[in-house]
Amino acid sequence: MQNPKQTKMFLEIVGELRLLIKKEGIKAGGKLPSERVLAETLQVGRSSVREALRSLELLGLIETRRGEGTFLADFKKHQLVEVLSTFIMQQPNSQMDVNRTRMIHEEAAVAVICEEPALRQLPVWEGFLVKLQTEGAVRREDLIREMIVATENRLSLKIWFLLKQYSKIPLDVVISKEESQLVGPFLIHLMEGNEDCALPAYRQWIERIEGERME
């Protein structure tokens, strides 16, 4: 089993980076400190900083320019957002279509992770599981996002990120103790590479979340 302190650090590093960006007042286009400086400032290892930067880059929040450094991207200027709001979201069944399309990307990520041993063994999954079993402070959105980040499919991640904004299901909340009884087994199946069990477990969890929106 991985060191809980290490896995917890892996999950929190992105949040710490965002706080640093806000504190330093770094705007879109502004340059971020080097990996070495970030590691010293946040008091973590450079490998942890590198993983966090990788996740932020996959989300389109930062961009790396060879020979220049890492810069904060203007991630709000996605033309696809305007397309969705102006055209797609005007259709009667648009909400249902958005949810279904979002689920396609999420389930595809589950399948890819189950198929790839290296992805199943990423410490982030055990980190989530440890937090569920101890603190319980895991946000739904964080878990789902990390699944898609793990596939390294930038296009899928950007599409999911945009669809999530229109999905209208409560993802930006902490997983409850009762809910963790569904999420825990799902994570175990995911780490075992058991797609036949992981996908149904994941769907059951999402159905529970969607049920909250209907209440």
Side-chain angles (χ1 to χ4, degrees), residues 47-71:
S47 61
S48 297
V49 170
R50 194 172 297 117
E51 278 296 315
L53 292 176
R54 172 177 167 274
S55 296
L56 289 174
E57 186 171 15
L58 284 170
L59 282 169
L61 300 180
I62 63 174
E63 58 180 341
T64 301
R65 304 172 192 168
R66 182 173 296 181
E68 297 183 44
T70 304
F71 298 81

Side-chain angles (χ1 to χ4, degrees), residues 28-97:
K31 187 175 181 179
L32 296 180
S34 66
E35 283 185 10
R36 180 182 61 79
V37 172
L38 286 173
E40 292 175 355
T41 302
L42 301 176
Q43 297 184 337
V44 296
R46 289 186 66 171
S47 61
S48 297
V49 170
R50 194 172 297 117
E51 278 296 315
L53 292 176
R54 172 177 167 274
S55 296
L56 289 174
E57 186 171 15
L58 284 170
L59 282 169
L61 300 180
I62 63 174
E63 58 180 341
T64 301
R65 304 172 192 168
R66 182 173 296 181
E68 297 183 44
T70 304
F71 298 81
L72 189 63
D74 190 357
F75 61 94
K76 295 181 180 179
K77 293 183 178 180
H78 287 296
Q79 292 183 350
L80 185 54
V81 174
E82 298 178 5
V83 174
L84 283 169
S85 61
T86 304
F87 298 101
I88 300 177
M89 297 307 294
Q90 300 301 320
Q91 303 303 316
N93 296 325
S94 60
Q95 190 64 62
M96 184 181 298
D97 291 340

